[in-house]
Amino acid sequence: MTDISRLKYIQWRPIGVCDTGVGKERKAKMFTRTDLAKVTSPEVNRGNWRQQPEVLQLIQRYAHDLAGISNLTDEMLSPEIAEIKLVGAVLGHEQTPNLNQESADGRVQFFQLSFQDGKTKKVSSKNWKKWLIWLMIAVVVFLGMTSMFLIASRFSLLSLNSSKKSVSVCSTNRQEAKYSEHLRDIRKSLVFELNRLPAWSTFNVARTYCIGGKMSIKQQEQRLLQCLLKVRNRTKNMPPASRPSLNKIEACASTLCQRELPHLSEFCKRL
Protein backbone atom coordinates (compact mmCIF):
# COMPACT_ATOMS: atom_id res chain seq x y z
CA MET A 1 0.00 0.00 0.00
CA THR A 2 2.86 2.35 0.70
CA ASP A 3 4.20 2.46 -2.83
CA ILE A 4 0.72 2.96 -4.35
CA SER A 5 -0.12 5.72 -1.89
CA ARG A 6 3.21 7.34 -2.60
CA LEU A 7 2.52 7.17 -6.34
CA LYS A 8 -0.80 8.99 -5.94
CA TYR A 9 0.88 12.07 -4.52
CA ILE A 10 3.87 12.13 -6.82
CA GLN A 11 2.06 11.93 -10.18
CA TRP A 12 0.63 15.14 -11.68
CA ARG A 13 -2.12 14.86 -14.30
CA PRO A 14 -5.12 17.17 -13.58
CA ILE A 15 -7.63 16.53 -16.38
CA GLY A 16 -10.38 19.02 -15.51
CA VAL A 17 -12.51 20.67 -12.84
CA CYS A 18 -15.38 19.20 -10.81
CA ASP A 19 -17.89 20.36 -8.20
CA THR A 20 -18.46 18.91 -4.72
CA GLY A 21 -21.51 16.83 -5.63
CA VAL A 22 -21.93 13.33 -4.21
CA GLY A 23 -21.63 10.25 -6.41
CA LYS A 24 -23.19 10.56 -9.85
CA GLU A 25 -24.56 13.99 -8.90
CA ARG A 26 -21.03 15.34 -9.19
CA LYS A 27 -20.47 17.30 -12.39
CA ALA A 28 -17.12 17.77 -14.15
CA LYS A 29 -15.67 19.70 -17.08
CA MET A 30 -12.64 18.20 -18.85
CA PHE A 31 -9.73 20.28 -20.14
CA THR A 32 -9.17 20.52 -23.87
CA ARG A 33 -5.94 19.10 -25.24
CA THR A 34 -4.40 22.60 -25.37
CA ASP A 35 -5.39 23.49 -21.80
CA LEU A 36 -4.28 20.08 -20.52
CA ALA A 37 -0.84 20.83 -21.95
CA LYS A 38 -0.73 24.10 -20.01
CA VAL A 39 -1.50 22.58 -16.58
CA THR A 40 0.87 19.65 -17.12
CA SER A 41 3.77 21.72 -18.42
CA PRO A 42 7.16 21.03 -16.76
CA GLU A 43 7.05 24.24 -14.67
CA VAL A 44 3.69 23.36 -13.05
CA ASN A 45 3.39 20.76 -10.30
CA ARG A 46 1.43 19.84 -7.17
CA GLY A 47 3.36 22.27 -5.05
CA ASN A 48 3.24 25.45 -7.10
CA TRP A 49 0.06 25.42 -9.25
CA ARG A 50 -1.56 28.02 -6.97
CA GLN A 51 1.27 30.43 -7.81
CA GLN A 52 0.75 30.04 -11.57
CA PRO A 53 -1.48 32.90 -12.89
CA GLU A 54 -2.10 31.11 -16.18
CA VAL A 55 -3.38 28.01 -14.36
CA LEU A 56 -5.65 30.02 -12.07
CA GLN A 57 -7.08 31.90 -15.03
CA LEU A 58 -7.73 28.64 -16.80
CA ILE A 59 -9.51 27.21 -13.73
CA GLN A 60 -11.60 30.38 -13.46
CA ARG A 61 -12.66 30.04 -17.09
CA TYR A 62 -13.69 26.41 -16.67
CA ALA A 63 -15.46 27.27 -13.42
CA HIS A 64 -17.87 29.44 -15.39
CA ASP A 65 -18.83 26.48 -17.62
CA LEU A 66 -19.03 24.11 -14.65
CA ALA A 67 -21.37 26.45 -12.78
CA GLY A 68 -23.73 26.25 -15.75
CA ILE A 69 -24.15 22.46 -15.47
CA SER A 70 -23.73 21.95 -11.72
CA ASN A 71 -26.79 21.11 -9.62
CA LEU A 72 -25.22 22.94 -6.70
CA THR A 73 -25.55 26.36 -8.32
CA ASP A 74 -29.25 26.19 -9.29
CA GLU A 75 -30.32 28.62 -6.55
CA MET A 76 -27.36 30.97 -6.96
CA LEU A 77 -27.80 34.27 -8.75
CA SER A 78 -24.10 34.73 -9.48
CA PRO A 79 -21.96 31.69 -8.54
CA GLU A 80 -18.27 32.22 -7.99
CA ILE A 81 -15.39 30.08 -6.69
CA ALA A 82 -15.23 29.84 -2.90
CA GLU A 83 -12.46 27.22 -2.65
CA ILE A 84 -10.23 25.11 -4.92
CA LYS A 85 -8.91 21.70 -3.85
CA LEU A 86 -6.87 19.16 -5.75
CA VAL A 87 -8.52 15.74 -5.49
CA GLY A 88 -8.02 12.31 -6.99
CA ALA A 89 -10.10 11.02 -9.91
CA VAL A 90 -13.83 11.32 -9.20
CA LEU A 91 -15.47 7.93 -8.92
CA GLY A 92 -18.70 7.44 -10.84
CA HIS A 93 -17.70 9.36 -13.97
CA GLU A 94 -18.14 6.86 -16.77
CA GLN A 95 -16.69 9.16 -19.43
CA THR A 96 -13.34 10.14 -17.93
CA PRO A 97 -11.48 9.70 -21.24
CA ASN A 98 -8.74 7.13 -21.85
CA LEU A 99 -7.05 8.34 -18.68
CA ASN A 100 -9.76 6.58 -16.69
CA GLN A 101 -7.62 3.46 -16.67
CA GLU A 102 -4.87 5.34 -14.86
CA SER A 103 -7.21 6.59 -12.14
CA ALA A 104 -6.90 3.32 -10.29
CA ASP A 105 -3.33 4.34 -9.49
CA GLY A 106 -4.33 7.83 -8.46
CA ARG A 107 -2.43 9.40 -11.33
CA VAL A 108 -5.45 11.50 -12.42
CA GLN A 109 -6.60 14.56 -10.50
CA PHE A 110 -9.39 17.15 -10.67
CA PHE A 111 -9.50 20.71 -9.41
CA GLN A 112 -12.51 20.45 -7.10
CA LEU A 113 -14.42 23.74 -6.91
CA SER A 114 -16.74 24.89 -4.13
CA PHE A 115 -19.18 27.60 -5.22
CA GLN A 116 -20.78 30.49 -3.36
CA ASP A 117 -23.27 33.15 -4.40
CA GLY A 118 -20.99 36.16 -4.66
CA LYS A 119 -23.30 38.94 -5.88
CA THR A 120 -26.57 38.29 -4.09
CA LYS A 121 -26.70 41.68 -2.41
CA LYS A 122 -25.75 43.58 -5.56
CA VAL A 123 -28.31 41.73 -7.67
CA SER A 124 -30.94 42.27 -4.99
CA SER A 125 -30.13 45.96 -5.06
CA LYS A 126 -30.53 46.00 -8.83
CA ASN A 127 -33.90 44.26 -8.48
CA TRP A 128 -35.06 46.91 -6.06
CA LYS A 129 -34.03 49.58 -8.57
CA LYS A 130 -36.00 47.79 -11.30
CA TRP A 131 -39.08 47.55 -9.07
CA LEU A 132 -38.74 51.23 -8.21
CA ILE A 133 -38.56 52.15 -11.91
CA TRP A 134 -41.65 50.05 -12.68
CA LEU A 135 -43.49 51.62 -9.75
CA MET A 136 -42.67 55.11 -11.03
CA ILE A 137 -43.88 54.15 -14.52
CA ALA A 138 -47.13 52.78 -13.06
CA VAL A 139 -47.69 56.00 -11.10
CA VAL A 140 -47.08 58.13 -14.19
CA VAL A 141 -49.48 55.99 -16.25
CA PHE A 142 -52.12 56.19 -13.51
CA LEU A 143 -51.81 59.96 -13.25
CA GLY A 144 -51.97 60.25 -17.03
CA MET A 145 -55.13 58.16 -17.24
CA THR A 146 -56.71 60.12 -14.40
CA SER A 147 -55.94 63.39 -16.17
CA MET A 148 -57.40 62.08 -19.43
CA PHE A 149 -60.55 60.96 -17.60
CA LEU A 150 -60.99 64.37 -16.00
CA ILE A 151 -60.47 66.11 -19.35
CA ALA A 152 -62.95 63.74 -21.03
CA SER A 153 -65.50 64.40 -18.28
CA ARG A 154 -65.01 68.14 -18.78
CA PHE A 155 -65.65 67.85 -22.50
CA SER A 156 -68.65 65.59 -21.91
CA LEU A 157 -70.18 68.21 -19.63
CA LEU A 158 -69.58 70.90 -22.23
CA SER A 159 -71.04 68.61 -24.89
CA LEU A 160 -74.13 68.01 -22.74
CA ASN A 161 -74.72 71.73 -22.31
CA SER A 162 -74.17 72.25 -26.02
CA SER A 163 -76.53 69.40 -26.90
CA LYS A 164 -79.28 70.77 -24.71
CA LYS A 165 -79.00 74.08 -26.55
CA SER A 166 -78.94 72.46 -29.98
CA VAL A 167 -82.19 70.50 -29.54
CA SER A 168 -84.36 73.58 -29.10
CA VAL A 169 -85.97 72.63 -32.41
CA CYS A 170 -87.89 69.92 -30.52
CA SER A 171 -89.92 72.71 -28.94
CA THR A 172 -90.85 74.36 -32.24
CA ASN A 173 -94.13 74.05 -34.07
CA ARG A 174 -94.94 70.34 -34.51
CA GLN A 175 -96.52 71.07 -37.87
CA GLU A 176 -93.29 72.29 -39.46
CA ALA A 177 -91.41 69.87 -41.74
CA LYS A 178 -88.07 70.51 -40.02
CA TYR A 179 -89.55 69.21 -36.74
CA SER A 180 -90.21 65.72 -38.13
CA GLU A 181 -86.86 65.72 -39.92
CA HIS A 182 -85.04 66.59 -36.71
CA LEU A 183 -86.67 63.73 -34.81
CA ARG A 184 -85.43 61.32 -37.49
CA ASP A 185 -81.92 62.81 -37.39
CA ILE A 186 -81.69 62.33 -33.62
CA ARG A 187 -82.55 58.65 -33.95
CA LYS A 188 -80.17 58.18 -36.87
CA SER A 189 -77.26 59.73 -34.97
CA LEU A 190 -77.88 57.35 -32.08
CA VAL A 191 -77.94 54.34 -34.43
CA PHE A 192 -74.63 55.53 -35.85
CA GLU A 193 -73.10 55.55 -32.35
CA LEU A 194 -74.44 52.07 -31.62
CA ASN A 195 -72.82 50.75 -34.78
CA ARG A 196 -69.44 52.03 -33.58
CA LEU A 197 -69.56 50.01 -30.33
CA PRO A 198 -67.46 46.79 -30.16
CA ALA A 199 -70.60 44.82 -29.29
CA TRP A 200 -72.74 46.51 -31.95
CA SER A 201 -74.15 43.18 -33.16
CA THR A 202 -75.90 42.66 -29.81
CA PHE A 203 -77.91 45.88 -30.19
CA ASN A 204 -80.26 44.53 -32.89
CA VAL A 205 -83.43 45.04 -30.84
CA ALA A 206 -82.46 48.53 -29.72
CA ARG A 207 -81.57 49.55 -33.27
CA THR A 208 -84.96 48.32 -34.52
CA TYR A 209 -86.70 50.93 -32.38
CA CYS A 210 -84.34 53.66 -33.55
CA ILE A 211 -84.71 53.20 -37.30
CA GLY A 212 -87.75 53.83 -39.46
CA GLY A 213 -88.79 55.72 -42.53
CA LYS A 214 -91.69 57.99 -43.19
CA MET A 215 -94.16 58.23 -40.28
CA SER A 216 -96.66 60.64 -38.87
CA ILE A 217 -95.61 63.19 -36.27
CA LYS A 218 -97.18 61.17 -33.46
CA GLN A 219 -95.45 58.01 -34.61
CA GLN A 220 -92.15 59.87 -34.89
CA GLU A 221 -92.45 61.11 -31.32
CA GLN A 222 -93.43 57.69 -29.99
CA ARG A 223 -90.58 56.02 -31.89
CA LEU A 224 -88.05 58.50 -30.44
CA LEU A 225 -89.13 57.75 -26.86
CA GLN A 226 -89.13 53.99 -27.56
CA CYS A 227 -85.64 54.28 -29.02
CA LEU A 228 -84.39 56.08 -25.92
CA LEU A 229 -85.93 53.58 -23.51
CA LYS A 230 -84.56 50.53 -25.36
CA VAL A 231 -81.04 51.90 -25.76
CA ARG A 232 -80.84 53.17 -22.19
CA ASN A 233 -82.02 49.83 -20.83
CA ARG A 234 -79.57 47.94 -23.06
CA THR A 235 -76.55 50.09 -22.10
CA LYS A 236 -77.18 50.75 -18.41
CA ASN A 237 -74.73 48.05 -17.31
CA MET A 238 -71.94 49.20 -19.62
CA PRO A 239 -68.97 51.18 -18.24
CA PRO A 240 -69.70 54.93 -18.45
CA ALA A 241 -66.81 55.51 -20.84
CA SER A 242 -68.18 52.91 -23.27
CA ARG A 243 -71.81 54.03 -23.35
CA PRO A 244 -73.18 55.92 -26.36
CA SER A 245 -74.06 59.56 -25.76
CA LEU A 246 -77.78 59.95 -24.98
CA ASN A 247 -77.62 63.66 -24.21
CA LYS A 248 -79.33 64.81 -27.38
CA ILE A 249 -82.17 62.30 -27.40
CA GLU A 250 -82.76 62.68 -23.66
CA ALA A 251 -83.03 66.46 -23.96
CA CYS A 252 -85.53 66.11 -26.81
CA ALA A 253 -87.51 63.46 -24.89
CA SER A 254 -87.70 65.78 -21.89
CA THR A 255 -89.12 68.55 -24.12
CA LEU A 256 -91.72 66.18 -25.57
CA CYS A 257 -92.86 64.94 -22.17
CA GLN A 258 -93.24 68.48 -20.85
CA ARG A 259 -96.02 68.97 -23.41
CA GLU A 260 -98.07 66.24 -21.71
CA LEU A 261 -99.25 64.81 -25.02
CA PRO A 262 -101.74 61.91 -24.49
CA HIS A 263 -100.06 59.56 -26.99
CA LEU A 264 -96.75 59.89 -25.13
CA SER A 265 -97.91 59.56 -21.52
CA GLU A 266 -97.21 55.84 -21.33
CA PHE A 267 -93.59 56.30 -22.43
CA CYS A 268 -92.95 59.45 -20.40
CA LYS A 269 -93.89 57.58 -17.19
CA ARG A 270 -91.01 55.17 -17.85
CA LEU A 271 -88.36 57.85 -18.40
Side-chain angles (χ1 to χ4, degrees), residues 175-238:
Q175 303 305 319
E176 294 183 8
K178 64 179 182 180
Y179 174 75
S180 177
E181 182 180 351
H182 185 66
L183 294 181
R184 287 195 300 270
D185 289 343
I186 291 176
R187 288 187 286 113
K188 286 182 180 179
S189 64
L190 185 54
V191 171
F192 179 74
E193 285 203 43
L194 293 179
N195 290 339
R196 294 173 58 184
L197 297 177
W200 66 270
S201 60
T202 64
F203 288 85
N204 290 332
V205 176
R207 286 205 304 272
T208 300
Y209 283 88
C210 296
I211 60 178
K214 197 171 183 180
M215 292 180 282
S216 66
I217 295 298
K218 288 185 178 181
Q219 290 174 327
Q220 289 273 16
E221 292 169 337
Q222 289 177 332
R223 182 59 63 90
L224 186 139
L225 295 183
Q226 287 176 316
C227 173
L228 172 59
L229 290 170
K230 290 295 181 180
V231 173
R232 191 165 65 181
N233 182 63
R234 178 64 180 79
T235 61
K236 63 182 179 181
N237 294 325
M238 293 177 63

Side-chain angles (χ1 to χ4, degrees), residues 17-22 24-29 62-76 79 113-116:
V17 297
C18 67
D19 63 12
T20 56
V22 178
K24 292 186 178 182
E25 292 299 316
R26 177 171 291 191
K27 303 296 182 182
K29 186 76 176 177
Y62 275 79
H64 180 271
D65 295 337
L66 179 63
I69 62 174
S70 176
N71 298 328
L72 304 180
T73 58
D74 289 343
E75 303 299 325
M76 296 183 185
L113 308 181
S114 300
F115 290 101
Q116 66 181 7

Side-chain angles (χ1 to χ4, degrees), residues 77-128:
L77 297 175
S78 181
E80 64 179 24
I81 299 175
E83 184 180 24
I84 306 175
K85 288 184 178 180
L86 189 64
V87 299
V90 180
L91 298 177
H93 277 281
E94 299 175 356
Q95 295 183 353
T96 303
N98 296 331
L99 301 175
N100 191 41
Q101 296 177 358
E102 301 177 2
S103 64
D105 297 330
R107 295 173 61 187
V108 179
Q109 297 90 32
F110 281 91
F111 291 110
Q112 178 179 278
L113 308 181
S114 300
F115 290 101
Q116 66 181 7
D117 202 348
K119 297 183 179 180
T120 304
K121 293 183 179 179
K122 293 183 180 179
V123 174
S124 177
S125 176
K126 290 182 180 179
N127 286 339
W128 273 109

Side-chain angles (χ1 to χ4, degrees), residues 148-164:
M148 291 177 63
F149 177 76
L150 293 175
I151 293 173
S153 299
R154 176 78 174 177
F155 277 107
S156 296
L157 183 59
L158 293 175
S159 177
L160 175 61
N161 294 333
S162 176
S163 297
K164 287 183 177 179

